[in-house]
Amino acid sequence: MKIHEYQAKELFKKFGMPIPDGKVTNNPEEVGKIAHEIGKPVMVKAQVHVGGRGKAGGIKFAHNAHEAWEHAKAILGMDIKHCTVKKVLITEAVDIDTEAYIGIIVDRAAKMPVIMVSPEGGVDIEEVAAKTPERIMKLHVDPMLGLQNFQAMKLARFVYEDIGIARKAARVIMQLYMTFMHVDASLAEVNPLITTPDGKVLAIDAKINIDDNGLYRRPEIEAMRDLDEEDPSETEAKNADLSFVKLDGSIGCIVNGAGLAMATMDTVKHFGAEPANFLDIGGSSNPDKVINAMRIILRDPNVKVILFNIFGGITRCDDVANGIVAAVKDFKPPVPIVVRLTGTNEDEGRKILEEINLAATSSMEDVVKKAIELAAA
Ligand code: GDP
Ligand code: MN
């Protein structure tokens, strides 16, 4: 789950990170008041779940409250990489001396968080990694031991020569690590971490992605979810207890089991087509799930065919067939349906499908080829 910059800053602040004061609003009329309260020049910052807002015109400097109001009017409603800006953060503008990068992600292969720092801040870290990898220092942290002060200091010293500044930055790196661990993040970063001419170290941008698997035990983080920023189909699928990821192809796939769903996508690609989605209806045999899955997939105008690939085990083929029949009667899909059934109650399933003149095959390869043929027709 992604959260906004202002929310990430709230979390970082709880762990003591130095962050300029600010306030978020969706109302341009409130912006003047907020800027007035801050009483200094401010930054008006678009709050959307995408990066590179600065380059897209979503971050503007304002000398005074009036200018802040004007910028906010322009930024609210703006489209940044297909996201409409609905909120702006008004935050104290600061004088920047240097911009650095500090971030943490989970290194799945190493089974450890890895901290990355670079004196090249404010730019895309991927670009730094590609062009000047020697400007990045990485450190894996043993989660059983936690980040040690000397390690944070070593990272900070890679970025800053000045010992006083490095000490302050080491503390920020420690706070970054604490936040990352505490909220079950999959990514936490500050880009840029800045120094001011008077020797302060401040986090002026913040990004945190949360590991969805940790959300069940973090209701206060789940409450930060912004449904406006999420794909409505994915939200609906989540509420229907389906695991669904929208993709760009034309073959809509409904499969039981994540492994089989992956294999189905691979097979579709192998025969030269692209799946429209990943969708796992899971192990249970509830016809409602099939109906919900079909409704969600059919909302995508790219979908030219729906492919069912069901390997009956705990999932019963007759239940799935009942779901398909109910869905077809319910909303008469505008695209053809092809079905592969094999395993538990497949004969019963086939019989049920006869009612709507659907012949199910038992071969995965056949059904995928058939789907691709129909999608191209
Ligand atoms: P991003 O473009 O989405 O990464 O948004 P950032 O918050 O990182 O802002 C982009 C850039 O705008 C930063 O790298 C800074 O160079 C500049 N910027 C942001 N806030 C301030 C500020 O308070 N003062 C100054 N002088 N520049 C700022
Ligand atoms: Mn940034």
Side-chain angles (χ1 to χ4, degrees):
M1 181 180 96
K2 292 184 175 178
I3 60 175
H4 289 293
E5 173 195 1
Y6 78 92
Q7 297 167 318
K9 282 181 167 173
E10 279 167 20
L11 294 172
F12 282 145
K13 250 190 185 159
K14 277 197 192 141
F15 288 84
M17 208 184 270
I19 289 169
D21 283 336
K23 235 181 183 169
V24 75
T25 177
N26 56 12
N27 178 0
E29 306 310 324
E30 236 176 61
V31 169
K33 202 177 120 229
I34 298 171
H36 190 77
E37 272 169 24
I38 293 174
K40 291 179 201 156
V42 294
M43 302 300 296
V44 181
K45 307 185 76 179
Q47 298 297 291
V48 277
H49 285 180
V50 290
R53 298 164 301 164
K55 275 187 204 149
I59 295 184
K60 288 274 194 288
F61 174 86
H63 291 91
N64 53 48
H66 182 75
E67 250 182 60
W69 170 72
E70 283 187 332
H71 287 317
K73 273 198 302 178
I75 291 173
L76 285 163
M78 180 187 264
D79 186 275
I80 301 180
K81 297 183 190 161
H82 307 297
C83 291
T84 307
V85 181
K86 300 213 167 118
K87 288 180 216 151
V88 284
L89 172 67
I90 312 301
T91 177
E92 185 187 332
V94 290
D95 285 336
I96 299 182
D97 195 9
T98 66
E99 300 191 39
Y101 172 94
I102 61 172
I104 310 187
I105 53 170
V106 177
D107 179 342
R108 298 175 77 108
K111 300 178 188 167
M112 281 187 226
V114 56
I115 305 182
M116 289 173 286
V117 301
S118 172
E120 307 288 332
V123 293
D124 226 354
I125 195 66
E126 283 84 3
E127 208 177 302
V128 181
K131 288 188 186 151
T132 48
E134 71 282 1
R135 300 284 281 162
I136 298 179
M137 180 175 186
K138 293 184 187 178
L139 178 94
H140 283 87
V141 182
D142 184 331
M144 297 306 282
L145 300 175
L147 179 65
Q148 306 295 310
N149 282 318
F150 78 91
Q151 293 176 307
M153 192 59 188
K154 194 168 156 192
L155 289 161
R157 289 283 283 153
F158 179 78
V159 180
Y160 303 105
E161 295 237 323
D162 184 291
I163 271 282
I165 297 279
R167 277 211 184 92
K168 291 178 193 169
R171 195 173 308 139
V172 175
I173 292 169
M174 200 57 116
Q175 289 155 342
L176 178 79
Y177 178 79
M178 302 299 253
T179 314
F180 176 90
M181 295 305 275
H182 185 80
V183 304
D184 289 324
S186 55
L187 173 151
E189 71 178 22
V190 174
N191 186 22
L193 179 72
I194 62 135
T195 57
T196 62
D198 58 352
K200 287 202 200 84
V201 173
L202 295 170
I204 66 164
D205 192 11
K207 178 173 174 181
I208 297 180
N209 294 347
I210 311 289
D211 182 340
D212 287 353
N213 294 314
L215 282 174
Y216 75 96
R217 58 180 184 185
R218 309 269 182 238
E220 73 287 3
I221 309 279
E222 172 80 49
M224 292 183 160
R225 187 181 284 280
D226 184 348
L227 291 178
D228 281 346
E229 298 280 326
E230 298 188 5
D231 183 290
S233 309
E234 293 189 12
T235 306
E236 192 182 342
K238 189 168 169 273
N239 292 337
D241 204 19
L242 300 165
S243 74
F244 172 85
V245 180
K246 191 184 155 353
L247 302 166
D248 297 326
S250 63
I251 316 279
C253 304
I254 302 182
V255 188
N256 70 309
L260 188 61
M262 294 291 217
T264 308
M265 292 165 59
D266 284 350
T267 313
V268 167
K269 280 180 175 263
H270 176 76
F271 288 114
E274 293 291 327
N277 64 278
F278 167 95
L279 193 150
D280 172 13
I281 59 169
S284 94
S285 280
N286 184 348
D288 282 347
K289 281 201 167 180
V290 175
I291 299 171
N292 286 330
M294 228 155 44
R295 186 174 339 103
I296 290 163
I297 287 181
L298 283 170
R299 200 161 292 144
D300 177 356
N302 293 335
V303 169
K304 297 280 181 290
V305 61
I306 293 184
L307 182 167
F308 279 87
N309 186 6
I310 304 300
F311 190 97
I314 296 169
T315 306
R316 289 166 30 191
C317 292
D318 54 330
D319 278 339
V320 174
N322 276 324
I324 297 174
V325 172
V328 166
K329 285 184 176 166
D330 193 10
F331 42 81
K332 306 196 174 45
V335 300
I337 297 173
V338 292
V339 185
R340 180 247 188 160
L341 291 179
T342 191
T344 312
N345 293 1
E346 68 174 90
D347 291 338
E348 290 84 341
R350 263 177 240 284
K351 214 156 267 149
I352 292 163
L353 289 178
E354 278 172 12
E355 190 187 333
I356 51 167
N357 293 321
L358 255 183
T361 135
S362 56
S363 149
M364 172 146 154
E365 197 174 311
D366 288 352
V367 83
V368 169
K369 282 183 181 162
K370 181 85 186 147
I372 294 173
E373 204 183 295
L374 288 167

